Amino acid sequence: MSESPFLTEGIAAGLINLSELARQLRPQLESDLWKPVGQAAVVMALRRISERLPPQDRAAPIVLAPRTGELTTRADLAISTYRLSDSSNECQRQLLALAESCPGAFVSVTRGVHEVLVACSRPLDRMVEQAFAGERLLARVDNLTALTLRLNPETRRTPGVYHSVLKKLAWDKISVVNMMCTFSELTILLDQSQAGAAFSVLSQIVTH
């Protein structure tokens, strides 16, 4: 059950037919337990689980920053992923120095354990190539849109707040390419073809 959060939420909301779910779960349960399992027993177990699940109206609230909880969007972005190297820090410094000449452009550099991800507006592409000229490019994704939610700083104390946002996108079959967080901002990168649908979904968070 823990491997399928949507299924868990469906049971908690009373949207799942427990008898049909039990019928589908029986073969796997019998294989795991190495013995026959009665459907009635599975249904009873599912009912007990549903009684212990928290009500859906107790889900983590998404609290926006007062008067600044707007949803902002930036289009025509690209992300490039490079292999982390001894010179990655210097490459990052060069890029940020070059980007100072384009104050309105979007640029973000994320350093991981083995990789460095650069997200930027398309006008900065040549600057990225120049700064990381000697680095190994692992992947590149173009035609992206960034949607940014400004959250109340207190949300850092709220378990599952990011899950609440991503769940709304997943229910509408919207794929997230990448996401970045600062202290009070959540930025989601997705394909431009899904930007309109994602904006519609996240707008409901802003208006509610």
Side-chain angles (χ1 to χ4, degrees), residues 125-188:
D125 277 352
R126 291 189 178 181
M127 296 181 184
V128 175
E129 294 173 358
Q130 178 181 342
F132 287 81
E135 302 302 293
R136 179 184 174 188
L137 179 65
L138 300 178
R140 178 180 171 85
V141 183
D142 296 296
N143 301 318
L144 300 177
T145 295
L147 300 179
T148 300
L149 272 174
R150 183 77 180 275
L151 302 175
N152 189 308
E154 290 302 312
T155 56
R156 73 184 189 279
R157 307 178 190 276
T158 305
V161 64
Y162 295 143
H163 166 72
S164 299
V165 176
L166 297 176
K167 178 186 67 176
K168 291 180 180 295
L169 296 174
W171 272 113
D172 283 63
K173 298 183 180 180
I174 297 172
S175 300
V176 174
V177 175
N178 206 300
M179 61 181 289
M180 297 172 287
C181 303
T182 62
F183 182 64
S184 61
E185 293 181 351
L186 171 62
T187 297
I188 297 172

Side-chain angles (χ1 to χ4, degrees), residues 2-19:
S2 61
E3 297 176 356
S4 180
F6 288 160
L7 180 59
T8 302
E9 291 170 7
I11 292 175
L15 302 176
I16 304 295
N17 184 315
L18 297 184
S19 295

Side-chain angles (χ1 to χ4, degrees), residues 21-54:
L21 178 59
R23 186 186 67 80
Q24 295 186 26
L25 292 177
R26 278 185 64 193
Q28 184 61 48
L29 290 173
E30 292 178 340
S31 175
D32 293 342
L33 298 174
W34 290 18
K35 64 179 182 180
V37 177
Q39 181 165 331
V42 180
V43 172
M44 181 61 68
L46 290 173
R47 285 176 178 168
R48 290 174 179 170
I49 291 174
S50 66
E51 293 171 355
R52 295 199 302 265
L53 293 174

